[in-house]
Amino acid sequence: MSIFAASLLVAATPQPALAPNGSWEVKGEDGMCLLQIDYASGAEALSLVFKPLLDLPTMELYVIGGDASGRQFDGEYTAQLLAPAKPYAGRYFSVRSELSKRRVTRLTVERDLLDQLNDQDVLRIAAKPIDRSFIIVAARSAKAALQTCTDRLKRSWGIVPVPGEGVSQLVGDPAEQFGASSYPPEALRKRIYGRVIALLKINGSGAVDGCRVLSSAGPELNAGTCKAAMKIRFTPPRDKSGNGLRSTYVLPVRWVLAGMR
């Protein structure tokens, strides 16, 4: 007599994409504009928050809600837009906020992800504390409102966008100039941290020759930001004859102490 054992393989069924339960909101926070939309409600409530870092090619994407445990997560995430089908990947950090009592998952993403969002698109985010898909609605009008907020913010700093004006491009990663050794010693001693936003003036060869603080985190970090920023290099815009043009660049720098994220 033969006994046959059959094993049944059951594929995990992905959770259905979440539909928003409200409209986009544009908010000002920490000297910058952000875009937020909420999903689900109650214990299942989640929010997406897009926080462009002004002129930087990267941005912060926050997922608020989810696993309510006190565990911290840190690692690699993947994200996928369905239309166009484009994958993204990078680092994330996730922790439960003691203030709001909700989990905050911060992803560092390319600014291109926000630029590529379309109406009725679906964005899937996979990281250890969360693996969900989000239906995107009214993306075009939301991004326009965000741009209006950013332009208004820059004008408040005395920066007037000029249509058709060229933009300098970063050479390398500016974070290389803001390592542990660049943390101002006096700020370390006083345990000062925070975000500084600086306006860099760039000459026709791509070197920074001026720095003005737009949003302060104290004199120590302000000075440290401008000192390190002077080492950043850019590829400047050029005129029709190929000559480099002067330009400006708004640089946000988030200073954190050891053990912080």
Side-chain angles (χ1 to χ4, degrees), residues 32 36 46 58 61 76-77 95 104 130 141 222 237:
M32 288 182 284
Q36 177 174 331
L46 293 168
T58 56
L61 170 58
E76 297 282 339
Y77 74 85
V95 66
V104 178
I130 186 169
S141 59
N222 294 348

Side-chain angles (χ1 to χ4, degrees), residues 61-258:
L61 170 58
Y62 293 85
V63 182
I64 313 297
D67 179 356
S69 73
R71 291 181 298 168
Q72 292 187 6
F73 300 95
D74 182 5
E76 297 282 339
Y77 74 85
T78 59
Q80 174 81 46
L81 281 174
L82 297 189
K86 183 172 182 179
Y88 296 85
R91 300 289 302 179
Y92 78 91
F93 177 72
S94 184
V95 66
R96 182 173 179 264
S97 168
E98 291 303 317
L99 183 63
S100 67
K101 306 303 180 184
R102 300 181 70 194
R103 177 162 295 280
V104 178
T105 302
R106 185 184 75 242
L107 298 80
T108 300
V109 303
E110 299 173 42
R111 172 63 185 257
D112 175 72
L113 186 149
L114 178 60
D115 296 337
Q116 294 292 332
L117 286 184
N118 293 307
D119 296 355
Q120 299 304 316
D121 204 346
V122 175
L123 171 63
R124 181 181 179 185
I125 298 172
K128 189 161 187 176
I130 186 169
D131 186 351
R132 294 304 300 260
S133 296
F134 302 87
I135 297 173
I136 304 298
V137 298
R140 183 176 300 179
S141 59
K143 290 187 290 184
L146 178 64
Q147 187 60 53
T148 297
C149 176
T150 301
D151 290 345
R152 187 181 300 120
L153 180 63
K154 287 186 175 183
R155 287 190 178 93
S156 75
W157 291 329
I159 305 169
V160 180
V162 178
E165 183 183 58
V167 178
S168 287
Q169 301 297 320
L170 285 164
V171 175
D173 184 354
E176 295 175 359
Q177 309 302 333
F178 292 91
S181 62
S182 68
Y183 212 108
E186 187 66 8
L188 272 178
R189 187 181 70 80
K190 296 179 179 178
R191 297 192 61 77
I192 299 172
Y193 59 92
R195 194 188 299 272
V196 177
I197 300 176
L199 175 66
L200 308 183
K201 296 182 179 180
I202 305 159
N203 64 27
S205 66
V208 178
D209 63 7
C211 176
R212 174 166 67 92
V213 172
L214 302 173
S215 182
S216 172
E220 297 88 354
L221 294 183
N222 294 348
T225 297
C226 284
K227 180 180 178 180
M230 299 299 287
K231 303 174 185 177
I232 299 174
R233 297 289 300 184
F234 292 85
T235 299
R238 299 189 179 278
D239 61 21
K240 294 180 180 179
S241 300
N243 300 310
L245 302 174
R246 293 192 63 84
S247 59
T248 59
Y249 196 92
V250 181
L251 179 74
V253 178
R254 181 170 172 265
W255 295 91
V256 296
L257 298 167

